[in-house]
Amino acid sequence: MSLQTTDLGFEADLFKAADRLRGNLEPSEYKHVVLGLVFLKYISEAFETYHAQLAADEYADAEDPEEYLAENIFWVPAEARWTHLRDKARDPNIGKLIDDAMEAIEKVPANEKLKGVLPKNYARPTLNKEMLGDLIDLFSKIDMRGNASEARDLLGRVYEYFLSGFASSEGKRGGEFFTPRSVVRTLVSMLEPKQGRVYDPCCGSGGMFIQSENFIEDHGGRRDDISVYGQEINHTTWRLAMMNLAVQGIDAEIKWNNEGSFIRDELPDLRADYILANPPFNISDWGGERLTEDVRWKFGTPPKGNANYAWLQHILHHLAPRGTAGVVLANGSMSSQQSGEGDIRKAMIEADKVDCMVALPGQLFYSTQIPACLWILANDKSANGHRERQGEVLFIDARQMGHMVDRVRRDFDDSEISKIADTYHRWRAKAPEQPYKDEPGFCASADLELIRKHDYVLTPGRYVGAADEEDDGVPFEEKFATLATQLDTQLTESARMADLIRRTLGRIPTHTGGKQ
């Protein structure tokens, strides 16, 4: 059976099939088992496909690892190739064979970027070897014998969908490594990264980068039009990101240390053209007490008990002079006055760094039900071919948007993402095809004077007002008379029901004394 298809249900069906094999293994543990095999399947078949092409070329050397490096394809030794593992799927030592395969791949000098990335604990006694064989059989059904681009897209889709599925299964913990696709797509659609450096200081499994690359390809650009930089504090998540980006064919400089971007900034000199980030919300133990005089706190020292304004200032510090940034934060960041946060927000607004604020609905995230918002920051509001909008901020209230995909989580569809992004683009454009205009209940452009009157609170609901009610053509006097009649009827009925209840209660005999 071949699973090579573009049907949207393909990834979901494959995930369900893989999840049925999980047994009693926790999703957080099973995730690494499955994603490691998906990665191994991808690099092995990408290698074998290109190996066959080189072998047929009399001027090429199919055994030269440098030939593969030039095409961004990893060299895979014979003992690590999928065909070898597929044939050994029912071997009692299959776990050790997978570990040996991962080890062999990392030892190849040309695969230096994979060193320390691949999971190598498949031989542990607690891992069911029958399950491993079943997974190898399942993934062997994915036909990747098309061209290299099709193969990458197919396994890239599988990897991304599996990340999403495991994030959903893990709930709060899942949100630590995965930002929902619709949130990432909204940010990317608003910022439109086309050329230059893209940075994420808390990159999780790399979703921001992948959607940025997808955006470029969808709009006729080339993947190498942007260069990708990131940092991640969780080593396990960093490994997921490195595998994810490799499967997608994205060359990126992703740094890891266990202290994080605040304490040990691995890219101190980077100034990015686009920054996209979904930092952990309201994090309290971020090391603020060690950074009170940091050069990044241009607008004020962030409180030790909440990192929200540390993230915003870290991002502004890394933003190029003409750069733009999109940051996901908890709603409280828009209005908090605690511990000097209001003063920092005021300084950022007066410095004209805030370009757009978007209020999001609740239940968009795996890790929290807290409603979130998007901060769109700009260093120079007249740059990049857009109109001069100094002293203006666009407010978008998207709290009523989205649809429930299950009992607990909401998602945006394509039209909703387009509505948010198009509104922002029309507002900032010099001569849009369709001029921007305020839409009560959804969007409003506010000047600095109005924001000052609201004490620098950036909650969109304060600016967009209530949505206009649709005019049904009925005069107000007629509506009022109808409502008054309805109220009289309801009050009369209420009095009748109250009298009936009193009379009914009066007929119920009362008892005294103990239990009968």
Side-chain angles (χ1 to χ4, degrees), residues 323-508:
T324 53
V327 190
V328 188
L329 283 177
N331 265 4
S333 63
M334 298 188 288
S335 58
S336 172
Q337 302 290 351
Q338 296 179 346
S339 307
E341 288 182 328
D343 292 332
I344 300 173
R345 186 171 58 252
K346 174 183 176 180
M348 288 171 58
I349 294 167
E350 289 289 353
D352 214 22
K353 301 299 181 184
V354 182
D355 201 33
C356 177
M357 299 297 302
V358 183
L360 299 174
Q363 298 179 283
L364 278 177
F365 295 86
Y366 296 108
S367 55
T368 179
Q369 299 303 309
I370 297 174
C373 61
L374 304 180
W375 289 68
I376 307 298
L377 308 173
N379 255 343
D380 182 350
K381 291 186 179 180
S382 62
N384 307 314
H386 305 310
R387 72 176 178 86
E388 170 59 76
R389 53 198 188 281
Q390 187 174 357
E392 298 176 45
V393 177
L394 176 66
F395 293 92
I396 297 176
D397 191 344
R399 288 177 298 171
Q400 303 305 314
M401 298 176 79
H403 60 281
M404 299 301 293
V405 292
D406 54 38
R407 275 190 317 107
V408 296
R409 202 173 68 80
R410 184 179 297 274
D411 212 350
F412 286 148
D413 61 31
D414 290 348
S415 65
E416 290 169 321
I417 293 171
S418 293
K419 181 175 182 180
I420 294 170
D422 290 349
T423 299
Y424 176 56
H425 296 158
R426 286 198 303 272
W427 174 78
R428 72 178 184 179
K430 281 184 176 177
E433 290 183 15
Q434 182 181 349
Y436 167 83
K437 64 177 182 178
D438 289 350
E439 182 182 327
F442 177 67
C443 64
S445 182
D447 60 20
L448 188 54
E449 194 56 42
L450 180 58
I451 295 170
R452 286 172 182 150
K453 288 178 181 175
H454 283 285
D455 201 20
Y456 299 95
V457 169
L458 295 176
T459 307
R462 291 202 176 198
Y463 301 90
V464 304
D468 286 339
E469 287 193 22
E470 197 171 317
D471 187 2
D472 55 10
V474 180
F476 172 76
E477 293 79 4
E478 188 176 330
K479 282 185 183 177
F480 184 83
T482 301
L483 289 171
T485 301
Q486 289 176 351
L487 180 61
D488 285 342
T489 302
Q490 290 167 353
L491 289 173
T492 301
E493 179 63 13
S494 175
R496 188 187 71 79
M497 290 299 296
D499 182 60
L500 178 61
I501 291 168
R502 278 194 297 271
R503 285 188 283 111
T504 302
L505 289 173
R507 291 198 293 269
I508 298 175

Side-chain angles (χ1 to χ4, degrees), residues 27 37 108 163 182 227 263 265 309 324 355 380 395 415 476 479:
L37 288 176
V108 176
L163 278 172
S182 68
S227 49
I263 302 300
D265 186 354
Y309 279 85
T324 53
D355 201 33
D380 182 350
F395 293 92
S415 65
F476 172 76
K479 282 185 183 177

Side-chain angles (χ1 to χ4, degrees), residues 138-177:
L138 177 67
F139 295 142
S140 293
K141 295 173 184 175
I142 307 174
D143 179 9
M144 288 189 49
R145 296 298 176 177
N147 63 50
S149 178
E150 289 172 349
R152 187 198 71 216
D153 289 345
L154 184 66
L155 262 291
R157 280 170 47 189
V158 170
Y159 197 97
E160 185 184 21
Y161 189 91
F162 274 44
L163 278 172
S164 173
F166 286 124
S168 179
S169 300
E170 291 184 55
K172 182 174 174 57
R173 289 184 61 192
E176 295 173 4
F177 67 85

